[in-house]
């Protein structure tokens, strides 16, 4: 798949009309747009409908995390919105992920809907190894824990995980090359990391085997975000 089809642009805004302007502005170069908690809370299912009407794919980044019954029922509703990708926290456990996968597959078969890609969130890219150890009381390294959670997602039948670019290799070694890795926390070499702790550049992420990268502040904060994206694309295509 060409690299430009593997870049997800994050619409991190609470203004639906502005989000739609961004979709139009980036339409030539971006096929997948990420709707997260902020935009979904402001714009609801309508924003997804309006983005898909423009012929674009939506990654609904709600990071579902609740009991199996609640997450699986919610995922059915999300599936009916026609999203391309949806996610849940792997730390919700095997039953939560399995039940959700089964519910989505059943809904798609019964209602003749395309199946969204089901992605598990491992360790947030904003968490450092110190926070993992000292705040969450998880004694393993981030890499070991991400690998463990990815394996759990794989065993539950999910299509892939969200992880940082630093963990791609161990995930692919453990779950196989077809198990998708979606990488947020992307920064250009001159960007500040902000609240992200485990960042990589677009080139590093794809070199390490990322299937998709999520671009947010890395380009959105540049003076001309579209120009910044095109520079990233040129750089990636020269790789
Ligand atoms: O602006 P920035 O590149 O930090 O944006 C990253 C986007 O990816 C945000 O919308 C954030 O919610 C999302 N994300 C993340 N880490 C994850 C999963 C999603 O940063 N593990």
């Amino acid at each position: 798949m060409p690299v430009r089809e593997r870049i997800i642009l994050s619409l991190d805004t609470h203004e639906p009309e502005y989000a739609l302007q961004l979709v139009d502005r980036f339409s030539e170069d971006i096929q997948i747009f990420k709707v997260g908690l902020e935009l979904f809370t402001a714009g609801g299912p309508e924003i997804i409908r309006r983005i898909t009407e423009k012929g674009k794919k939506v990654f609904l980044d709600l990071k579902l995390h609740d009991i199996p019954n609640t997450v699986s029922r919610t995922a059915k509703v999300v599936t009916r919105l026609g999203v391309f990708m949806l996610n849940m926290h792997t730390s919700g456990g095997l039953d939560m992920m399995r039940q959700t996968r089964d519910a989505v597959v059943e809904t798609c078969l019964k209602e003749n809907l395309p199946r969204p890609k089901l992605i598990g969130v491992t360790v947030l890219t904003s968490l450092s190894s110190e926070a993992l150890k000292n705040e969450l009381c998880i004694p393993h390294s981030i890499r070991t824990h991400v690998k463990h959670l990815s394996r759990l997602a794989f065993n539950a039948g999910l299509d892939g995980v969200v992880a940082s670019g630093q963990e791609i290799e161990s995930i692919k070694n453990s779950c196989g090359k077809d198990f998708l890795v979606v990488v947020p926390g992307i920064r250009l070499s001159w960007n500040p990391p902000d609240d992200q702790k485990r960042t990589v550049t677009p080139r590093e992420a794809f070199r390490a085997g990322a299937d998709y990268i999520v671009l947010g502040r890395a380009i959105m904060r540049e003076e001309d975000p579209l120009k910044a994206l095109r520079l990233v694309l040129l750089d990636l295509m020269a790789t």
Side-chain angles (χ1 to χ4, degrees), residues 22-137:
L22 289 175
V23 173
D24 289 339
R25 198 176 307 160
F26 286 90
S27 188
E28 213 176 294
D29 298 288
I30 297 284
Q31 301 310 317
I32 313 168
F33 291 88
K34 184 170 86 65
V35 175
L37 289 168
E38 184 185 5
L39 181 57
F40 192 69
T41 304
E46 176 70 4
I47 186 70
I48 295 173
R49 197 182 55 75
R50 291 185 66 190
I51 297 171
T52 45
E53 262 174 17
K54 289 177 182 289
K56 298 297 174 186
K57 297 176 182 172
V58 173
F59 168 19
L60 188 56
D61 180 21
L62 295 183
K63 301 187 180 67
L64 302 174
H65 193 179
D66 209 314
I67 59 171
N69 186 52
T70 304
V71 173
S72 58
R73 289 173 67 96
T74 305
K76 279 191 189 182
V77 181
V78 170
T79 298
R80 294 188 185 112
L81 297 177
V83 302
F84 165 72
M85 186 179 271
L86 69 97
N87 61 1
M88 68 204 83
H89 271 285
T90 52
S91 50
L94 195 61
D95 281 349
M96 186 203 80
M97 290 189 278
R98 257 194 198 139
Q99 206 168 304
T100 301
R101 183 197 177 270
D102 291 350
V104 168
V105 169
E106 192 191 307
T107 304
C108 292
L109 286 174
K110 270 195 190 152
E111 301 175 27
N112 197 21
L113 299 169
R115 189 166 89 65
K117 294 193 189 307
L118 298 171
I119 302 294
V121 178
T122 57
V123 176
L124 293 172
T125 43
S126 55
L127 286 173
S128 64
S129 50
E130 290 72 40
L132 197 72
K133 221 168 257 160
N134 304 332
E135 296 171 24
L136 304 185
C137 252

Side-chain angles (χ1 to χ4, degrees), residues 156-199:
L158 299 199
D159 300 297
V161 286
V162 182
S164 97
Q166 298 168 12
E167 294 110 33
I168 302 171
E169 199 183 333
S170 66
I171 296 169
K172 294 276 183 182
N173 283 341
S174 164
C175 303
K177 67 171 178 31
D178 294 336
F179 191 65
L180 302 174
V181 183
V182 180
V183 179
I186 299 289
R187 290 293 178 273
L188 310 182
S189 53
W190 58 88
N191 289 156
D194 310 299
D195 52 350
Q196 301 283 18
K197 297 292 184 310
R198 293 166 12 252
T199 62

